[in-house]
Amino acid sequence: MKPWNDKQIAKRVKPWVLDGYLTDYQKEAWTWSIDRDGAFLWWACGAGKTLGALLWLVSKPRSERKVIITRAATKSQWKMQASQYTDMQIHILDGQGGVAIPDEAECVVLSWETLMHWYPYITAWQGNYPMALVWDEIHKGKAWRRKEKYITYDGQTKWMWLENRAAYAAKLSKRATRRLGLTATPIRDRRADLWAQLDLIQPDKHGTNWHWVHKYCAAKQGTYGLDTTGVSNCTQLKQMLNRVAHVVPYKEMAKALPPKRRQLLYLSAHEQTKPARMRTILKEAARRGPQHLFEARLMEAATRKRTNIATLVADCVEAKQKVTVFTGRRQDCEALAKTIKIKLDRLGEPCWSAHGGSSVKERAQLVQEYAAHDGGGAFIGTTDAFGEAIDGLQCTDSVFFALLPWTPGQVTQAEGRFSRHGSDRPVLITYVIAEDTVDEHVADVLLSKLEIVEQTLGDEEAGSLANTLAGQDNEEEIMDSILSLAEDSEWS
C-alpha cells in the first residue's frame, strides 16, 4: 500500500505536500523505506533528503521515540521543515545535556558533536518505547574505532567501549528499531568508509570492520599498518548496497525540481560561533555613534554565522556542486572567502572571491572562470558588486545569503543572477539568519517591504520570498523572537 493512501499517515502530512509537491523519487523512496529497519537515502545535495526523512518518521505511531542526529548548524532547519511539511513538533537538544528530555516530546534533534553527552538522557527518555533514528550526513559517522581490547585478571581477552562519538553512535543505533542514513557523499575518502555507516543502519549485520575491509577493500599489511585503499568483490558489494540504499543522482534530481527554490536557515544562539573581543568592539562602536554601532552589530551577526556557512559550502562543493555566497560587507566577504578557501583547499576544489574593491575587469574575469569551471567550486562576493547586471552565475547549484539585502529590488536582482536565461540547472537559495542578532531586524524590515510590494503590485515572487523569510508556518515563532529583541533598550 502506498503510504500517502493510508489515512492515519496522510493526516500527519500537510495536504499541499501530498497534492503535487512530492517528486516521483520522493514517493518511490517513501514506499521503499517505510517498513525497513535500516536504509540509506543517497541523494544529491538539494534533492529533498530532509522531507524524505520526515515522511519516513511520521509513517509510524506517535508513541515511537524519534531522534535526528545532524550538524549543529541545521538543527533549527529540521525543526522548521518538520512544522512546514508535517504536524510533528521537534524538540531541539542544545548544549551538552544536563536537562531531562520532556516525556511528551515525540522527536528530538541534536548534533553529532553532542551525541556523547545526550546519550544517557535519550536512553532514559526512550524507556521501553521503540525508537527511530535519522542519521543526517551519516558520513560523519564513518569512524570505525569503537572498542578496544583489554586483558582481565584471569587472562581473558575482552572488549570495552571507547569514549568517543563513534562508540556512542553505535550504542544508540543498537537501541533503535528503525534507522535511516542520509548523505550525498557516502564515500568521502575511500571505500572503507562504508563499513561504519552500514553498521549504523544495520547493526551487527555486516561483520567486523576487519572482516569487511578484507572482503571488500583487499586489505593487506602495509608499511604503517593495515592498507585498506584497495577494492575487491565489487559485484557482491554493489548488489548488497542496492538492497539498502535508495540513490538519486544529480541528473535525476534536476529533472524533478523547479528552477529556483528558497529556504530559511535560522541559527539559534547555540548553533552560532561566538566572536572573540566582540564586547569590546561593540562598546567602542557605541561611543562613536548609532551608525557605527549598527555596523558593528552587522559584523557580529556575520561572524556568528561564518563557520556554519563555510561548513555548508564545503559539503555542497564536496558533492561537486557550484556554490555562490553573497554577503553585504567587504570585510565579511574577505573573512568568509578565507575560511571557505581553507576548507576547499583540503578538498582540492577552487574558490573565487571579490568585492567592490576589485576592478570591474577583475570581477568579470573571476565570474568567467567560475562559469567555465567544470566541477565543484565556490564564488564569494558582495551583493552590491555581483547582485545586479552580472551574467555567468546561473551555473550555480546552491546560493547562500550570508547577510540579507535591504530592499526587495536588491533581492530580486540578486536572485536573478541564478535563475535566468541560460540556466541549465535548478538552484537552491538559502537565507541564513542568526537568532538574537541584528539579522532579525534586517529580515523584519525586508519582510515588511516585500509584503507591501506583493499587495501593491501582486508580485508573486515578493510574496514567495516573504513566506520564506517568515518561516511560513513558523512566522509567529520568528516574529515573537524579533519583537522580544526589539524590546531591549539597547535596540530602541
Side-chain angles (χ1 to χ4, degrees):
M1 181 179 179
K2 293 180 174 60
W4 53 89
N5 289 334
D6 184 305
K7 292 182 179 180
Q8 292 301 313
I9 296 175
K11 72 180 182 180
R12 301 211 59 188
V13 183
K14 298 296 174 68
W16 60 268
V17 175
L18 300 177
D19 187 19
Y21 182 80
L22 293 177
T23 65
D24 289 341
Y25 65 76
Q26 285 173 324
K27 290 182 178 180
E28 177 185 274
W30 191 7
T31 304
W32 172 83
S33 65
I34 188 170
D35 291 320
R36 292 174 179 264
D37 61 356
F40 291 114
L41 298 185
W42 286 351
W43 293 4
C45 288
K49 292 187 291 291
T50 301
L51 175 53
L54 291 170
L55 295 173
W56 180 81
L57 285 172
V58 299
S59 298
K60 297 298 178 180
R62 293 178 187 271
S63 58
E64 177 188 63
R65 302 302 203 194
K66 301 171 176 65
V67 181
I68 301 165
I69 298 90
T70 186
R71 291 179 301 229
T74 53
K75 291 186 294 183
S76 294
Q77 189 174 1
W78 273 92
K79 180 178 180 179
M80 190 171 295
Q81 292 197 21
S83 179
Q84 178 183 351
Y85 297 129
T86 73
D87 69 350
M88 184 170 65
Q89 299 298 312
I90 288 181
H91 182 79
I92 295 179
L93 302 182
D94 283 323
Q96 298 186 353
V99 180
I101 301 172
D103 186 64
E104 65 272 15
E106 177 187 2
C107 181
V108 297
V109 59
L110 67 153
S111 68
W112 282 92
E113 292 77 11
T114 60
L115 175 58
M116 290 175 57
H117 306 288
W118 279 105
Y119 177 80
Y121 300 94
I122 292 173
T123 57
W125 167 68
Q126 178 192 4
N128 295 320
Y129 292 102
M131 181 167 65
L133 289 179
V134 172
W135 299 104
D136 188 24
E137 308 295 355
I138 194 173
H139 52 264
K140 289 187 174 293
K142 68 178 184 179
W144 62 271
R145 289 187 59 82
R146 302 164 175 176
K147 295 181 179 181
E148 65 179 0
K149 286 192 296 186
Y150 70 98
I151 307 298
T152 64
Y153 288 112
D154 56 1
Q156 295 184 54
T157 299
K158 293 190 176 182
W159 294 83
M160 63 183 297
W161 289 103
L162 294 171
E163 285 292 312
N164 62 21
R165 185 170 74 187
Y168 280 92
K171 289 194 288 186
L172 188 64
S173 189
K174 289 176 182 290
R175 297 182 62 92
T177 47
R178 298 194 299 147
R179 309 155 195 89
L180 188 68
L182 314 179
T183 183
T185 53
I187 300 180
R188 307 275 285 192
D189 184 21
R190 59 189 64 179
R191 178 184 284 197
D193 292 346
L194 286 174
W195 175 82
Q197 298 175 58
L198 284 162
D199 196 58
L200 284 181
I201 66 160
Q202 293 183 322
D204 302 323
K205 289 187 178 181
H206 298 277
T208 64
N209 179 71
W210 189 94
H211 169 79
W212 200 90
V213 297
H214 278 80
K215 186 173 184 179
Y216 296 114
C217 303
K220 59 184 179 181
Q221 193 62 36
T223 305
Y224 302 102
L226 197 63
D227 180 358
T228 61
T229 59
V231 295
S232 51
N233 292 316
C234 296
T235 300
Q236 184 179 358
L237 177 60
K238 185 176 180 179
Q239 291 173 345
M240 182 264 289
L241 293 175
N242 284 340
R243 292 193 294 268
V244 297
H246 186 274
V247 182
V248 178
Y250 178 83
K251 288 184 178 180
E252 180 64 26
M253 172 200 72
K255 295 177 184 177
L257 294 179
K260 180 170 69 178
R261 294 163 297 142
R262 302 184 184 96
Q263 67 178 11
L264 178 70
L265 179 55
Y266 203 74
L267 299 178
S268 70
H270 291 282
E271 297 164 341
Q272 300 167 22
T273 302
K274 293 183 179 179
R277 296 184 59 251
M278 186 51 67
R279 186 181 296 274
T280 301
I281 293 172
L282 290 172
K283 286 183 178 179
E284 175 61 28
R287 284 195 291 267
R288 298 174 65 187
Q291 182 61 36
H292 291 283
L293 177 59
F294 184 73
E295 286 294 329
R297 286 292 187 186
L298 282 176
M299 290 313 302
E300 177 195 21
T303 304
R304 287 178 174 274
K305 296 182 286 186
R306 195 170 295 143
T307 299
N308 286 321
I309 291 174
T311 300
L312 293 170
V313 169
D315 285 345
C316 291
V317 172
E318 188 169 13
K320 302 305 179 184
Q321 288 199 354
K322 298 177 80 169
V323 185
T324 295
V325 181
F326 275 170
T327 186
R329 296 294 186 270
R330 296 181 184 184
Q331 182 181 345
D332 186 44
C333 179
E334 293 171 354
L336 262 172
K338 181 179 179 180
T339 305
I340 292 171
K341 190 175 188 303
I342 291 172
K343 292 181 177 292
L344 298 197
D345 282 346
R346 296 170 185 163
L347 301 174
E349 301 290 2
C351 179
W352 297 267
S353 66
H355 48 59
S358 310
S359 69
V360 174
K361 182 178 180 181
E362 181 183 358
R363 282 181 266 164
Q365 178 63 33
L366 292 176
V367 171
Q368 289 175 14
E369 291 177 8
Y370 173 75
H373 179 66
D374 185 17
F379 188 95
I380 298 91
T382 55
T383 309
D384 285 344
F386 295 97
E388 187 172 351
I390 295 292
D391 188 47
L393 298 178
Q394 60 264 41
C395 59
T396 297
D397 299 290
S398 293
V399 180
F400 293 91
F401 278 88
L403 282 176
L404 289 174
W406 287 79
T407 68
Q410 286 178 309
V411 176
T412 301
Q413 286 288 344
E415 286 195 354
R417 300 314 95 206
F418 310 104
S419 183
R420 58 192 287 107
H421 180 71
S423 300
D424 59 358
R425 61 185 79 191
V427 60
L428 176 62
I429 300 175
T430 302
Y431 291 90
V432 187
I433 295 178
E435 180 186 36
D436 293 337
T437 71
V438 71
D439 259 3
E440 293 180 315
H441 290 280
V442 176
D444 191 26
V445 170
L446 181 59
L447 179 62
S448 63
K449 292 180 179 179
L450 286 165
E451 289 172 342
I452 292 173
V453 171
E454 181 189 20
Q455 293 166 6
T456 305
L457 303 179
D459 189 331
E460 293 183 0
E461 280 290 285
S464 177
L465 178 56
N467 285 337
T468 298
L469 293 179
Q472 294 190 7
D473 291 341
N474 293 282
E475 180 176 0
E476 183 177 345
E477 177 184 342
I478 294 175
M479 290 302 294
D480 284 346
S481 178
I482 293 171
L483 293 172
S484 175
L485 185 62
E487 290 172 358
D488 191 324
S489 59
E490 186 177 3
W491 295 99
S492 59

